[in-house]
Amino acid sequence: MAAGAAWLGRTTIISALNAGSEFEARYSLWTEMWRLVELHPLEGWGWAGFWP
């Protein structure tokens, strides 16, 4: 119930905490991560670096 209320009031919460720019940065990172997951869903990308 509380999670639903937080989801509905997320814009108010973000503006009250003055976290808009950090939220945008994290959101863009997670969006990119989910895009990359689709490329290698089973084996992943490893801890760091590129796959040969």
Side-chain angles (χ1 to χ4, degrees):
M1 188 71 161
W7 177 257
L8 291 174
R10 67 189 179 278
T11 56
T12 306
I13 294 170
I14 291 170
S15 64
L17 296 175
N18 196 19
S21 61
E22 182 169 342
F23 177 77
E24 289 175 19
R26 290 177 184 265
Y27 180 76
S28 65
L29 285 173
W30 276 105
T31 303
E32 183 67 13
M33 291 295 293
W34 283 114
R35 189 185 69 78
L36 291 173
V37 164
E38 294 174 356
L39 297 175
H40 297 284
L42 183 61
E43 68 273 9
W45 289 90
W47 286 101
F50 296 101
W51 285 89

